[in-house]
Amino acid sequence: AKEEGRNTYQFFSEEMNSRVSERLSMETGLRHALARNEFLLHYQPRVNTTTGRIVGVEALIRWQQPQKGLILPDAFIPLAEETGLIIPIGEWVLRNTCTQARAWQEAGFAQMRISVNISCRQFTHDNLPDTIRGILRETGLQPSCLELEITESVIMLNPERAISLLNELKEMGISIAIDDFGTGYSSLSLLKRLPADILKIDKSFVSGIPGNKSDETLVATIINLGHNMGLGLVAEGVERQEQLHFLEERNCQEVQGYYFSKPLPAETLQPLLKNGTYP
Ligand code: C2E
Ligand code: CA
Ligand code: CA
Ligand code: CA
């Protein structure tokens, strides 16, 4: 029994060791990734369901890690949050996104919005509005072309502070989207006070339509809620035509998802933006 116990312990500690060293090596990698220029952005179009027009794009970060290849954000954003590295990384995302949006404008593509995901720590960091003001000035992008995506759960951490921050950002002319809407338990009275422009319906609900009755009800309810409150609606994670039909029938104006396009590098997206419309 003693032998067994030791083995179990050894196995456990080896696993822990490898997890700890994995984390450490990722943290070291993350610390150097900015300076080594290993981050890149992919952009996913947002499409108007009635006109087929591309009305905007969402910027999504990736990490081209020399040994491991392309790493998706869910695998490193949480660690970036914990270590505070999200602050410089988030600033890099904002600066690059605004520069890209400005370049697309100058190339004569239709006036479209560019959306950037803002993490929890970035949102609560003391000078987000100043940082953004500086980046807009530097890149020459009009604030009306920039949209920030903040998750419902981040807002719920400190609703009063969130409301005042969002008001400040809105006064600058920036749009606000509530990301992953439906997953964060915000109350209707809070929603009424949120200076938001758009609700993004979480893809976990969109994946069940049509067919899953509770997802159908939830999605329809969020759409009605948005309409009644004068907010725009975007459904994320639309992969199939039946999903698109369900959303169109209920007047969800905008969608994003693999059905139209995966997130793509700027150069690959360019011809699509030039064309501007899906058939
Ligand atoms: P999110 O903001 O909810 O972004 C939507 C995610 O769904 C993206 O994953 C996107 O690639 C994926 N997606 C889009 N269409 C479809 C579809 O039709 N089907 C399915 N199954 N998935 C679809 P991605 O790029 O891996 O990003 C994951 C999350 O990482 C994002 O979730 C966002 O929370 C975070 N993230 C991405 N970029 C940034 C960033 O620059 N800064 C911060 N703070 N977070 C970011
Ligand atoms: Ca998002
Ligand atoms: Ca989302
Ligand atoms: Ca999400």
Side-chain angles (χ1 to χ4, degrees):
K2 204 173 174 189
E3 202 65 22
E4 213 173 81
R6 191 181 297 151
N7 282 339
T8 313
Y9 172 75
Q10 262 174 9
F11 172 73
F12 186 61
S13 87
E14 263 163 39
E15 194 189 290
M16 285 226 326
N17 269 334
S18 84
R19 235 185 279 159
V20 167
S21 73
E22 174 98 12
R23 201 197 116 109
L24 269 176
S25 92
M26 185 172 245
E27 189 175 329
T28 313
L30 261 188
R31 283 194 192 285
H32 295 103
L34 265 180
R36 293 176 182 158
N37 212 9
E38 292 170 356
F39 292 118
L40 54 133
L41 292 169
H42 282 179
Y43 298 90
Q44 185 177 43
R46 185 194 280 184
V47 181
N48 181 298
T49 49
T50 17
T51 62
R53 282 202 74 78
I54 299 176
V55 291
V57 295
E58 177 177 3
L60 295 154
I61 195 173
R62 275 95 183 85
W63 179 15
Q64 185 65 55
Q65 217 275 345
Q67 283 85 42
K68 293 178 184 144
L70 199 69
I71 307 182
L72 291 173
D74 285 335
F76 66 88
I77 292 287
L79 186 59
E81 271 278 305
E82 265 178 66
T83 53
L85 288 165
I86 194 67
I87 302 298
I89 294 172
E91 210 173 307
W92 179 90
V93 171
L94 277 162
R95 182 167 291 111
N96 272 262
T97 301
C98 291
T99 305
Q100 183 58 256
R102 185 79 181 114
W104 276 331
Q105 275 183 349
E106 287 189 331
F109 304 147
Q111 186 90 346
M112 48 151 213
R113 217 173 253 176
I114 200 142
S115 306
V116 179
N117 292 286
I118 302 294
S119 79
C120 184
R121 196 134 166 196
Q122 220 184 339
F123 187 61
T124 49
H125 194 70
D126 46 74
N127 55 6
L128 182 67
D130 284 344
T131 303
I132 294 178
R133 226 176 261 120
I135 290 171
L136 288 173
R137 199 177 308 126
E138 198 183 297
T139 58
L141 187 74
Q142 306 101 283
S144 60
C145 296
L146 179 64
E147 181 176 279
L148 304 182
E149 300 196 359
I150 325 272
T151 64
E152 193 186 2
S153 50
V154 165
I155 291 166
M156 290 313 291
L157 285 177
N158 189 345
E160 292 309 319
R161 181 160 153 70
I163 289 171
S164 82
L165 250 171
L166 292 178
N167 272 321
E168 184 175 353
L169 293 163
K170 267 213 73 92
E171 274 161 24
M172 290 166 59
I174 295 166
S175 302
I176 308 292
I178 311 298
D179 207 355
D180 300 351
F181 189 77
T183 63
Y185 310 102
S186 60
S187 68
L188 292 179
S189 59
L190 174 67
L191 187 60
K192 210 178 83 178
R193 297 176 53 219
L194 276 181
D197 302 278
I198 280 171
L199 300 181
K200 289 196 88 172
I201 307 170
D202 194 64
K203 65 173 179 290
S204 62
F205 307 128
V206 174
S207 72
I209 58 162
N212 180 309
K213 288 298 161 204
S214 67
D215 285 347
E216 284 187 1
T217 307
L218 235 147
V219 169
T221 305
I222 295 173
I223 294 173
N224 284 332
L225 183 66
H227 286 158
N228 289 332
M229 299 187 107
L231 299 170
L233 290 147
V234 180
E236 58 176 35
V238 176
E239 295 177 351
R240 294 170 282 110
Q241 185 142 44
E242 308 86 76
Q243 293 172 311
L244 186 63
H245 283 319
F246 182 96
L247 293 160
E248 269 178 320
E249 269 170 24
R250 283 155 191 83
N251 293 316
C252 176
Q253 305 96 320
E254 296 175 3
V255 298
Q256 247 182 276
Y258 297 167
Y259 180 79
F260 286 107
S261 173
K262 293 199 167 186
L264 298 169
E267 317 82 73
T268 318
L269 190 64
Q270 200 117 315
L272 276 173
L273 294 180
K274 199 167 181 180
N275 201 21
T277 325
Y278 282 94

